[in-house]
Amino acid sequence: MGDHEASKLDYENHLLLEQPFLRLPFELLRKNFHGARYEVERDGTWIKNTLKDTATSAVNGRSSQEDVLKSLDSMISRMRGVKRKLTSFADEEARLYRHEAARVSHLGELYGMHSVDDVKYEAWSRTRLNRLLVDYLLRSGFNDSARMLAQERGIEDLVDVETFEQMSRVRGSLLKGSVAEALAWCTAGDTKKELRKMDSNLEFMLRYQQYIELVRPYTPAKLTEAIKHAQRFLHPYRETHGREVQQACGLLAVPPDRAYKYPAYRELYSPKRWEILADIFTTTHNTLLSLPSIPLLHMALSSGLSALKTPACHSAHPASAAAPSHSTSLALAATVCPICSTELNELARNVPYAHHNQSHVEHDLLLLPTGRAYGKASLDAYAKKSGLQEGQVKDLRTGDVFEPHELKKVFIT
Amino acid sequence: MAMLQLDEDLKKLTQSAQLSNALGHVDNIIDLLTNAREKIATANDPHTTSLTLTKLQNPTREGLEGVNEHLRNVHRAQTKYNKALTAAFEPKDKNLKGPLPTNHDPMADHPQLINRAIAMHLLREGQFGVASTFISEAEPGPEPGASQYQRQTRLPPSTLRSPTSPRSPTPTDATMDAEIPVELQSEALQTAFSDMYSILSSLKAHDLFPAIDWAHENAAELEARGSNLEFELCKLQFIWLFKGPQVNGLPDSSANGRSGALDYAQRNFSRFRHRHLREIQQLSCAMVYASNLGASPYRVIFDTTLAFDEVAASFTREFCSLLGLSAESPLYIAATAGTIALPQLMRFLNKVKGKNTEWTTEQELAFETPLPKSMIYHSIFVCPVSKEQTTDANPPMMLPCGHVLARESLQRMTKNGRFKCPYCPNEGSAKDSKEIIL
């Protein structure tokens, strides 16, 4: 049956889902480093130049003693600022190292197991499910549940509550109609550079929305401000976003109360744009941090539901569908199939059932007059449990009792 | 062993590349500046000022250079680790290369069903606190600010079904209890599972009575399922009493030990007389060997080292089955099966890439996804002639000779109402073949 083959762990393939799991702390480490370097370079250059200027003017006798001391004081406080910032970058780095190490060692544990039937594997796989759940909860914005689940299971280092909370804060502010936090995120440290590298239109879209909001009140003062804003922030994009920039100019001629006549302008004034912006932000954020665009739980579930699903799981046949006692279960101790169980039954309707090249049925099948076939071992065990007379059998589903001569052997080829 | 190698690489990274290493240089610069300031302030003459400032230039520049040098180190180490990280996930099979398949997500349209599965999972795992937080977060609230995405993923009022009604296979019943608010339903589920956990914790403490009471209350359903849980529990209670105070740690009284066991048997076993006569006889016979059980043929029955764990496992299974739920969390099994089957799915998707095939539009997967035996729950019959799995529309048919084919194959072979079995010399007529349920 190749069963041994199926339960053996293929480590590399088993970790297909896990790349983002190790990627995220590392991408954050990189981001953290770039942030630190940006600060150090900026302040370092400033110190170097200030020191040089101070020295030159002191030597030339152009600056007073007082000026020199003042400038030294500002250099000292600037340098203390560098220290403060660098310390907090270093703390973040330590936290991310801890996360990465915890994750590598969690994945490494898998190598200590040989098959999915290993008891240690179950604990490992449960931790993986909890990770996937926390990821899903965070992506859906259920931050409190995510935090609680991570805490109760002691997997804080294996999940990314902080990152997603920060993301949902920015997202939330966009949905409330404010671009400030999203713009700050876009322009912080070297995010701007990274966004340009990936051809992101997020910043443009945010600036565009700012512009729309300036036009919306349609007062002369605001319109002037809007034009200034456009010159400064939209004009530079005229090559890449020509159509939008042109539309922006057109918008000046269309006050919101008359926009219903022009679908294109009506759309620009629509509050729906905030949702679009929030989605652009989420996509951009996830791409930047190498996060997959859909929750990993979705991926695990769609492939898992399909692999487990059989034609019997949604059978209209009252007999072969899952009743409390399961009709076509292979196992002697009839447990409910996970796909037939309430939790997943409806969800599994949306995926194909598994493909099998071989039959998987019980050994020594016997057909009862009810039209149902069971393995001899199951029938014997059930007869014994029910206290039947020697040779008699009882249908596991219908409860009918039959004499030995009523049974027929079934041959499965 | 990619992960073990990566572990080494990570150690190298964390040991060598630390931003905090640059702090020493920063401190130096602060000291240089502070000392210079003091010197200039104390001397208070232009000459010292110029001299100190000029002398300050190089050490400061060197200090800053030192900071940068450290940063460059960190950067180099990160680049190296980046390579190691990529290599660790580089699949040997070229059909598994490339990013995870995210462009078609069959789960995306059903956040409510997923949320329901999660809520039930949390309840069955006994995480009642998380479950109630989750339900209140996922419930549609009166917040106008909620995003569209979040609104989509909120539970509608009827997503948690009443757990006490046994599930029926028709999809219509999902709408039947639409009027029951979700909180009540999840409360009912929570009550059920917290009962289960309290009974389980008693079992762990070798107190069988709560479990026996439960089994007794549900005796009819359990018997219909072919479960003899109640008898197993009572039997264990008898054995446990029989072992006496040294083993069971219960007070040494007439209600314990051999007399206690006998008394218990007299009061309880009569209701099992019909179904379990032989076992009850065995237990009574064992009384004869009481002084020397270890050497008697009954020692196996009286070995309780695993008995409590076994009885707890079958209790959990029966408890969940009566709720129409599987004993193991379906979410757990599905996610585990999902990671086992994912390589096959990815191989397939990589092969059909660009052909615009959505794998979920077919009724059956186009590729095999082998799962361990413990994850096969139904009988699967593959017709030996057509190599197709039997379904409701194409059920298995048994020929008079006992061989089984799918109905469509049989119809194709039948001429004038008769056919010859492809596996033995027998001939038969179509009306003698019989649809069977495997």
Side-chain angles (χ1 to χ4, degrees), chain A residues 208 211-212 215-216 218 223 226-227 230 234 241-256 258-259 262 264-266 268-269:
Chain A
Y208 201 71
Y211 171 79
I212 296 170
V215 178
R216 197 188 297 276
Y218 222 71
L223 285 177
I227 294 169
L234 302 186
H241 296 82
R243 219 181 81 82
E244 286 98 328
V245 175
Q246 263 178 9
Q247 252 188 1
C249 304
L251 193 68
L252 285 173
V254 187
R258 264 190 283 144
Y262 316 98
Y265 293 119
R266 195 173 58 216
L268 289 181
Y269 283 124

Side-chain angles (χ1 to χ4, degrees), chain A residues 3 6 12-13 17 19 22-23 26 30 33 44 51-52 55 58 65 72-73 76 79 83 93 97 100-101 111 116 121-122 125-126 128-129 136-137 139-140 142-145 148-149 152-153 171 175 275 293 298 300 302-304 306-308 310-311 313 315-317 321-322 324-326 328-330 333-338 340-345 350 352-360 365 367 369 371-373 382 385 387 408 410-411 413, chain B residues 1 3 6 10 14 17-19 27 29 33 37 40 44 49-50 56-57 60 64 71 75 78 81-82 86 89 92 96 100 102 105-107 110 114-116 118 120-121 124-125 127 129-130 133-134 137 147-150 161 167 169 225-226 228 275-276 317 325-326 328 330 332 334 336 338-339 343 347 359 362-365 367-369 371-373 375-382 384 389 391-392 398 400-404 434 436-438:
Chain A
D3 182 56
E12 256 82 278
N13 287 351
L17 271 182
Q19 188 158 1
L22 292 191
R23 264 281 155 207
F26 180 69
R30 273 222 278 227
F33 167 76
L51 185 57
K52 209 161 127 202
Q65 179 78 357
L72 271 171
D73 280 341
I76 291 168
M79 215 49 214
K83 185 178 174 179
E93 185 189 61
Y97 276 157
E100 186 77 354
Y111 293 84
V116 295
Y121 177 76
E122 185 182 335
S125 189
R126 277 190 188 279
R128 176 178 54 197
L129 174 64
Y136 173 86
L137 295 173
R139 281 165 181 267
S140 309
F142 307 149
N143 294 345
D144 292 343
S145 322
M148 252 175 109
L149 182 60
E152 277 191 19
R153 294 300 186 192
R171 201 188 146 84
L175 291 169
E275 282 167 25
S293 56
H298 282 192
S302 40
S303 109
S306 216
L308 288 166
T310 70
C313 295
S315 169
H317 209 302
S325 58
H326 203 278
T328 59
S329 169
L330 269 180
T335 84
V336 177
C337 151
C340 295
S341 193
T342 319
E343 285 103 318
L344 298 178
N345 197 258
N350 311 301
Y353 55 76
H355 175 80
H356 291 272
N357 289 328
Q358 277 171 323
S359 297
H360 295 263
L365 282 175
L367 182 71
R372 292 158 193 273
Y382 193 59
K385 272 188 185 176
K408 255 197 113 183
V410 181
F411 299 102
T413 34
Chain B
M1 298 290 119
M3 261 334 114
L6 195 62
L10 180 62
T14 48
Q18 287 179 2
L19 289 174
D27 279 333
I29 300 173
L33 292 170
R37 189 203 182 275
I40 292 169
N44 198 12
T49 306
S50 307
L56 192 57
Q57 303 276 333
T60 309
L64 286 170
L71 293 187
H75 189 233
Q78 284 188 353
Y81 183 72
N82 185 25
T86 312
F89 286 100
K92 288 189 201 87
L96 288 176
L100 292 163
T102 54
D105 178 10
M107 298 292 116
H110 307 281
I114 295 179
N115 285 351
R116 180 175 78 174
I118 292 176
M120 291 179 77
H121 167 82
R124 74 152 63 226
E125 298 283 298
Q127 290 179 291
V130 186
T133 308
F134 173 65
E137 274 188 311
S147 74
Q148 190 176 6
Y149 176 65
Q150 287 184 4
R161 296 179 50 258
R167 72 166 300 287
R225 266 182 59 72
N228 50 3
R275 280 176 71 189
H276 301 288
R317 197 171 53 229
L325 305 175
S326 69
E328 270 278 13
Y332 165 74
T336 306
T339 39
R347 262 186 215 118
W359 62 279
E362 297 295 321
Q363 195 188 41
E364 182 177 350
L365 284 181
F367 48 94
E368 236 192 332
T369 45
L371 292 181
K373 213 172 186 165
M375 289 190 179
I376 295 177
Y377 295 87
H378 292 273
S379 299
I380 289 155
F381 179 69
V382 179
Q389 276 180 80
T391 59
D392 276 3
M398 190 167 92
C401 54
H403 288 110
V404 185
K434 196 177 173 194
I436 63 169
I437 303 166
L438 284 165

Side-chain angles (χ1 to χ4, degrees), chain A residues 16-306:
Chain A
L16 273 178
L17 271 182
E18 310 297 0
Q19 188 158 1
F21 175 58
L22 292 191
R23 264 281 155 207
L24 183 61
F26 180 69
E27 292 301 329
L28 291 173
L29 264 175
R30 273 222 278 227
K31 208 164 173 263
N32 185 59
F33 167 76
H34 287 302
R37 187 168 66 181
Y38 177 79
E39 295 291 345
V40 165
E41 262 173 19
R42 198 185 51 182
D43 289 346
T45 315
W46 184 87
I47 297 264
K48 243 188 287 183
N49 292 342
T50 315
L51 185 57
K52 209 161 127 202
D53 293 347
T54 316
T56 324
S57 46
V59 171
N60 295 347
R62 272 202 312 258
S63 58
S64 68
Q65 179 78 357
E66 207 177 308
D67 288 341
V68 169
L69 287 177
K70 221 158 114 194
S71 130
L72 271 171
D73 280 341
S74 68
M75 278 188 270
I76 291 168
S77 84
R78 190 86 173 225
M79 215 49 214
R80 289 208 172 110
V82 171
K83 185 178 174 179
R84 212 170 35 244
K85 281 183 257 180
L86 202 55
T87 312
S88 82
F89 280 118
D91 289 347
E92 174 70 357
E93 185 189 61
R95 183 184 76 90
L96 293 168
Y97 276 157
R98 205 180 66 231
H99 275 208
E100 186 77 354
R103 291 163 194 220
V104 170
S105 105
H106 168 67
L107 295 189
E109 282 169 23
L110 192 64
Y111 293 84
M113 311 158 201
H114 298 291
S115 106
V116 295
D117 301 321
D118 198 318
V119 270
K120 280 186 287 179
Y121 177 76
E122 185 182 335
W124 189 85
S125 189
R126 277 190 188 279
T127 305
R128 176 178 54 197
L129 174 64
N130 287 326
R131 287 198 275 119
L132 296 180
L133 284 177
V134 174
D135 174 71
Y136 173 86
L137 295 173
L138 288 170
R139 281 165 181 267
S140 309
F142 307 149
N143 294 345
D144 292 343
S145 322
R147 195 176 272 281
M148 252 175 109
L149 182 60
Q151 236 158 35
E152 277 191 19
R153 294 300 186 192
I155 51 168
E156 284 106 326
D157 285 352
L158 303 182
V159 295
D160 306 285
V161 180
E162 292 83 358
T163 310
F164 280 100
E165 276 185 346
Q166 194 199 3
M167 184 188 93
S168 53
R169 248 199 317 279
V170 178
R171 201 188 146 84
S173 75
L174 279 174
L175 291 169
K176 282 195 204 101
S178 151
V179 290
E181 286 202 37
L183 265 180
W185 180 83
C186 269
T187 47
D190 73 341
T191 310
K192 203 177 171 122
K193 209 167 79 198
E194 296 283 319
L195 289 182
R196 205 176 306 137
K197 251 193 246 165
M198 52 187 251
D199 275 333
S200 158
N201 65 346
L202 178 62
E203 194 185 338
F204 172 72
M205 292 300 276
L206 293 171
R207 297 286 186 202
Y208 201 71
Q209 192 64 38
Q210 278 185 317
Y211 171 79
I212 296 170
E213 296 311 317
L214 287 172
V215 178
R216 197 188 297 276
Y218 222 71
T219 60
K222 285 283 174 190
L223 285 177
T224 322
E225 212 183 306
I227 294 169
K228 273 195 196 131
H229 178 87
Q231 280 166 346
R232 186 161 165 219
F233 294 112
L234 302 186
H235 192 63
Y237 289 96
R238 66 192 179 284
E239 304 276 313
T240 46
H241 296 82
R243 219 181 81 82
E244 286 98 328
V245 175
Q246 263 178 9
Q247 252 188 1
C249 304
L251 193 68
L252 285 173
V254 187
D257 54 350
R258 264 190 283 144
Y260 64 91
K261 291 182 192 159
Y262 316 98
Y265 293 119
R266 195 173 58 216
E267 253 169 55
L268 289 181
Y269 283 124
S270 158
K272 266 231 144 68
R273 276 186 72 88
W274 291 106
E275 282 167 25
I276 301 173
L277 279 179
D279 289 341
I280 296 179
F281 165 73
T282 307
T283 318
T284 311
H285 175 269
N286 290 352
T287 317
L288 191 70
L289 296 177
S290 304
L291 287 166
S293 56
I294 63 171
L296 291 175
L297 183 70
H298 282 192
M299 233 175 281
L301 277 184
S302 40
S303 109
L305 293 179
S306 216

Side-chain angles (χ1 to χ4, degrees), chain B residues 209 234-235 237-243 253-272 280 283-284 287:
Chain B
F209 289 114
C234 290
K235 187 173 118 182
Q237 176 63 24
F238 169 83
I239 294 168
W240 193 239
L241 286 173
F242 187 89
K243 297 216 161 199
S253 69
S254 61
N256 197 359
R258 249 177 281 169
S259 64
L262 200 60
D263 184 45
Y264 183 79
Q266 273 160 0
R267 278 186 292 115
N268 292 287
F269 280 1
S270 59
R271 65 175 187 267
F272 302 112
I280 294 171
L283 291 175
S284 355
M287 298 294 255

Side-chain angles (χ1 to χ4, degrees), chain B residues 5-17 81:
Chain B
Q5 178 58 44
L6 195 62
D7 195 28
E8 295 289 308
D9 293 327
L10 180 62
K11 280 202 187 95
K12 269 183 227 154
L13 173 68
T14 48
Q15 276 158 15
S16 66
Y81 183 72

